[in-house]
Amino acid sequence: MYLKIITLDDQAIITDNAIGGTIADLKKLRNIIADKLSKAEPGQTFNIDKDYGKDNTVTAKFFVMADNFDPVSMDELIVSGRQKIVNHKHSPQDLD
């Protein structure tokens, strides 16, 4: 269910479960995202497809949210209660 970023030796690709490529490819992707994000406003979307890899099997769609957006609010597993948040910060009292 969660997207993976993987390194590959020979291709830049977006599939239904991973974005992969060489380190140089992934840096190229970072630049593509940064460029498109700099031109987008909250509430807009943008896609990345053939501008990253010619053999993609899916298109990556990015939703631009406001600065105060909480990404957990869109996680279906957490919102439904089927999965608990495990990476929360502990208070000093929790360590006793």
Side-chain angles (χ1 to χ4, degrees):
M1 166 125 190
Y2 294 98
L3 178 67
K4 296 180 277 302
I5 307 295
I6 59 175
T7 55
L8 300 170
D9 292 334
D10 59 350
Q11 64 179 338
I13 193 165
I14 302 172
T15 69
D16 61 346
N17 68 354
I19 295 175
T22 64
I23 296 298
D25 291 330
L26 295 172
K27 287 179 179 180
K28 174 186 169 187
L29 177 61
R30 175 197 60 200
N31 294 337
I32 293 169
I33 293 171
D35 180 60
K36 291 186 179 215
L37 190 56
S38 72
K39 298 172 185 169
E41 297 290 329
Q44 294 181 324
T45 63
F46 62 87
N47 296 327
I48 296 179
D49 189 10
K50 302 301 181 201
D51 43 346
Y52 177 64
K54 62 182 173 127
D55 296 322
N56 298 337
T57 58
V58 297
T59 298
K61 184 171 190 174
F62 291 79
F63 295 82
V64 181
M65 308 305 271
D67 287 341
N68 62 351
F69 172 71
D70 179 6
V72 171
S73 68
M74 290 191 67
D75 188 314
E76 293 177 20
L77 290 175
I78 293 172
V79 172
S80 70
R82 292 180 286 164
Q83 180 173 328
K84 294 181 181 179
I85 300 174
V86 294
N87 292 340
H88 68 280
K89 293 183 179 180
H90 294 282
S91 65
Q93 299 89 321
D94 293 338
L95 300 176
D96 293 335

